Amino acid sequence: MKLRMLVFLAVFSTAAVAQFSARPITIIVPIPPGGAPDIAARVIADKLSQNIGQPVVVENKAGANGNIANEFVARAQPDGHTLGLLADSQITVNPHLYRMPIDTLRDLAPVVTVAANQFVLTVNPSLPVRNFPEFIAYAKTANPPLAYASGGNGSQHHLTMEMLKRRAGINLLHVPFKGGAPAAAATVAGDTAAVWSGSSNAPQIKAGRLRPLAVSGAKRSEQYPELPTIGEFYPGFENSIWLGLFGPANIPQEVLGKLRAELRKVLESPDVKQKMNAAGGLDPYLTTPEEFSALIRRDYEKYAKVVKDIGIKLD
């Protein structure tokens, strides 16, 4: 009896991890190393690997404002071994800007939400402005117009600044980069005057290499409580960001359920929360699968209107 029980337990244990044991799990990141999705992916990969006892690797596939990563994940085998840690812009903004080879709502399976945050409007410290009203006043008279960096055409950095330009009546020159990290680096170097900084730029802000002026969310940031929201000056202005893990469509439900359970354990771990926060102020953001799907639909419709109102169209 004992022998049969041991055999049963061994077989059961093997079956429980078989979905992940054939080869390493790969997490695709749509930007170069250093940005918020990359930081989150590496923290998650380390913890998930420890938990399941299998290799979990991070692979950066930057370019086309995330569409390269989107398509790579969508075309992968639906076996749970390829996931994409994607920002909301790749899923809910890009379809309104590009002729895409995939349908992000149809060809990608939402697995779990990962983190939510907001942008910080930052400028190079040499710019003679100390607060948000001074920035708006200075931008209105700057000739030539101030240049601002973004993480790419159609990125959240880009859309958020274009939304601000319309509300404040200012003219700024857009300089796109391949990701938030190089965009912030350009502003630190003085090549551009301003950038919407993500959580991964917290070290530059803390060190004084970027001067923070305001935040883009609906309420003040716990990390920067002294900074006003843009909405305090322009009521109704709000643009927050989220990150999520996606897989290719048609992942079997049992595999999807296993992934969600393991990833939820990872995101609920105190050490993961601490590492994500220390690396750039990221806070894990957990929802149910139903809430995640509703969030995607809501933002998809929201950005359809934003892109139309601003008049941006990329191919």
Side-chain angles (χ1 to χ4, degrees), residues 186-264:
T187 305
V188 169
D191 297 330
T192 50
V195 66
W196 282 105
S197 288
S199 52
S200 61
N201 302 131
Q204 289 97 322
I205 295 173
K206 185 176 180 180
R209 293 188 288 270
L210 288 171
R211 178 178 295 152
L213 303 179
V215 296
S216 67
K219 61 181 181 180
R220 292 198 176 199
S221 165
E222 292 184 10
Q223 191 175 10
Y224 307 103
E226 74 282 3
L227 297 181
T229 67
I230 303 296
E232 291 175 38
F233 302 93
Y234 302 106
F237 186 101
E238 183 270 330
N239 207 31
S240 299
I241 55 177
W242 52 260
L243 303 173
L245 277 163
F246 291 78
N250 301 319
I251 295 179
Q253 284 302 309
E254 62 272 19
V255 176
L256 191 57
K258 178 69 173 175
L259 279 170
R260 284 172 172 160
E262 292 294 346
L263 288 164
R264 192 170 190 90

Side-chain angles (χ1 to χ4, degrees), residues 282-299:
L282 284 170
D283 292 315
Y285 174 47
L286 291 171
T287 64
T288 66
E290 295 75 21
E291 289 169 337
F292 192 11
S293 294
L295 174 66
I296 292 167
R297 287 285 182 183
R298 185 204 72 182
D299 282 1

Side-chain angles (χ1 to χ4, degrees), residues 137-147 171-172:
Y138 188 78
K140 284 183 176 180
T141 60
N143 188 18
L146 296 177
N171 185 25
L172 301 171

Side-chain angles (χ1 to χ4, degrees), residues 24-28 41-42 45 49 55-59:
I25 292 175
T26 300
I27 299 178
I28 303 298
R42 294 180 191 279
S49 180
V56 181
V57 299
V58 174
E59 187 175 340

Side-chain angles (χ1 to χ4, degrees), residues 41-65:
R42 294 180 191 279
V43 172
I44 290 169
D46 287 345
K47 187 65 174 181
L48 181 60
S49 180
Q50 293 173 27
N51 286 0
I52 67 175
Q54 294 299 132
V56 181
V57 299
V58 174
E59 187 175 340
N60 299 82
K61 288 190 175 293
N65 201 27

Side-chain angles (χ1 to χ4, degrees), residues 124-209:
N124 182 280
S126 67
L127 205 69
V129 300
R130 292 284 172 180
N131 54 49
F132 178 71
E134 287 182 3
F135 172 77
I136 296 299
Y138 188 78
K140 284 183 176 180
T141 60
N143 188 18
L146 296 177
Y148 78 91
S150 85
N153 287 314
S155 65
Q156 285 281 42
H157 308 80
H158 181 198
L159 292 183
T160 305
M161 193 68 91
E162 292 300 317
M163 290 165 64
L164 177 60
K165 283 172 57 178
R166 287 171 61 85
R167 287 298 301 273
I170 57 177
N171 185 25
L172 301 171
L173 175 66
H174 178 217
V175 182
F177 290 84
K178 290 184 178 180
T187 305
V188 169
D191 297 330
T192 50
V195 66
W196 282 105
S197 288
S199 52
S200 61
N201 302 131
Q204 289 97 322
I205 295 173
K206 185 176 180 180
R209 293 188 288 270

